Amino acid sequence: MNVVLSILVVAGLLFGGGATVSAAQDDLPNEPLYAIKTWTEDLSLQFRHTPEEKVMRLMDLAQVRIQEMTRLSEAGEPVPDQVKLRLEQHIQQALQLCTNMDDPTLERALLQIRDRLQEQDRDMEQLQLHTQDQLQTQDQLQLQTQTRTMLHERLQLVEDGLLNHEMFRNAAQNGFQYGQDEDATPPVQNQNQNQNEQQNGEPNPDPGSNSNDSGGGNNGNGSGGSNTNDNGSGGGGKP
């Protein structure tokens, strides 16, 4: 499939590439020219000469992803995960580009990003209402909810960045990687780790469990200090 698409791209560019690329711009993820569409999107960033121009182009592409979600949902088609992932990548790339801007340029770019994120959140809200009215699948509702959560997180980062530029630079560079919080550890992994430690015979960090292990001396079966004193050297002569 990749070979075929590569041939189509090369052939399209050599023999009437303008028409092929133009036709691809309306394709959705389930249509044949979508790979050409995303390829030309990535290529278009190379023709932006300043970070600020690239940021605005990336936010335009983020809006394209929102429109694709809307068109697919209205047609009753599932939204592939790649659309959501690509949306997150566009926004994250835009935020990372902002980290190298001077303060006046950063202020201007963050204001523009904030406006676009607010617009995209409104569009997603309308899409959620439409999806609920159409009684579409729970998976689609969950994907839309996750997308709105991501938009809210990025919007909050931008709002905070307008108040503190240095905080924004640190957060965008170190705190977020395409929608993933680096410091976040899934709770399930922690639970599995504790279970493995217990199975391997390592001490249980729960102090309540330790008290149960050492408290058996009151029943005569434990190894508490009081029992050791009661059964000292004087008890050895008795049968």
Side-chain angles (χ1 to χ4, degrees):
M1 187 60 182
N2 290 334
V3 174
V4 173
L5 288 174
S6 299
I7 295 174
L8 287 174
V9 169
V10 174
L13 292 176
L14 291 177
F15 306 103
T20 303
V21 171
S22 178
Q25 301 313 302
D26 290 331
D27 269 26
L28 294 171
N30 56 357
E31 295 176 331
L33 296 181
Y34 187 76
I36 298 178
K37 176 181 180 179
T38 56
W39 180 79
T40 57
E41 287 177 354
D42 295 338
L43 185 63
S44 70
L45 290 172
Q46 306 303 319
F47 297 96
R48 268 58 183 186
H49 302 295
T50 67
E52 194 170 4
E53 289 177 353
K54 290 183 178 181
V55 165
M56 291 303 100
R57 175 58 178 162
L58 285 164
M59 295 310 296
D60 288 341
L61 295 179
Q63 187 63 36
V64 171
R65 304 286 86 81
I66 298 292
Q67 292 169 356
E68 289 172 353
M69 288 185 178
T70 301
R71 290 173 59 192
L72 287 168
S73 296
E74 289 178 347
E77 297 287 340
V79 178
D81 290 337
Q82 72 179 93
V83 177
K84 175 178 174 288
L85 176 61
R86 195 166 172 82
L87 169 64
E88 294 176 359
Q89 290 175 341
H90 294 326
I91 296 173
Q92 186 60 24
Q93 289 173 9
L95 294 175
Q96 289 176 340
L97 282 169
C98 289
T99 62
N100 295 320
M101 296 177 177
D102 56 45
D103 283 350
T105 307
L106 175 60
E107 183 84 11
R108 184 168 59 249
L110 289 180
L111 287 171
Q112 293 173 322
I113 292 175
R114 182 183 65 179
D115 292 342
R116 300 305 297 272
L117 289 174
Q118 290 173 341
E119 176 185 358
Q120 292 160 14
D121 182 52
R122 288 193 296 268
D123 291 343
M124 286 302 303
E125 182 180 17
Q126 292 300 317
L127 178 58
Q128 275 189 311
L129 294 174
H130 172 79
T131 302
Q132 292 172 354
D133 291 341
Q134 297 299 315
L135 301 177
Q136 295 190 18
T137 65
Q138 188 64 33
D139 288 343
Q140 294 304 307
L141 287 172
Q142 182 178 3
L143 183 141
Q144 293 167 13
T145 300
Q146 292 173 348
T147 301
R148 286 199 72 193
T149 299
M150 183 273 298
L151 291 173
H152 291 167
E153 290 174 350
R154 299 301 179 264
L155 185 56
Q156 185 61 55
L157 176 62
V158 170
E159 294 281 7
D160 293 342
L162 288 168
L163 299 176
N164 188 327
H165 291 170
E166 198 58 35
M167 180 281 303
F168 166 80
R169 291 187 178 98
N170 292 333
Q173 288 176 339
N174 304 320
F176 294 87
Q177 296 294 328
Y178 296 126
Q180 298 295 328
D181 219 342
E182 288 185 344
D183 295 330
T185 303
V188 175
Q189 294 180 1
N190 289 340
Q191 293 174 2
N192 291 338
Q193 182 179 1
N194 289 339
Q195 291 175 357
N196 291 335
E197 290 176 356
Q198 293 174 11
Q199 292 174 357
N200 293 331
E202 296 182 7
N204 190 327
D206 185 0
S209 299
N210 292 336
S211 63
N212 290 335
D213 292 338
S214 61
N218 293 333
N219 295 327
N221 297 324
S223 58
S226 59
N227 288 337
T228 301
N229 293 333
D230 293 340
N231 297 322
S233 60
K238 294 182 181 180

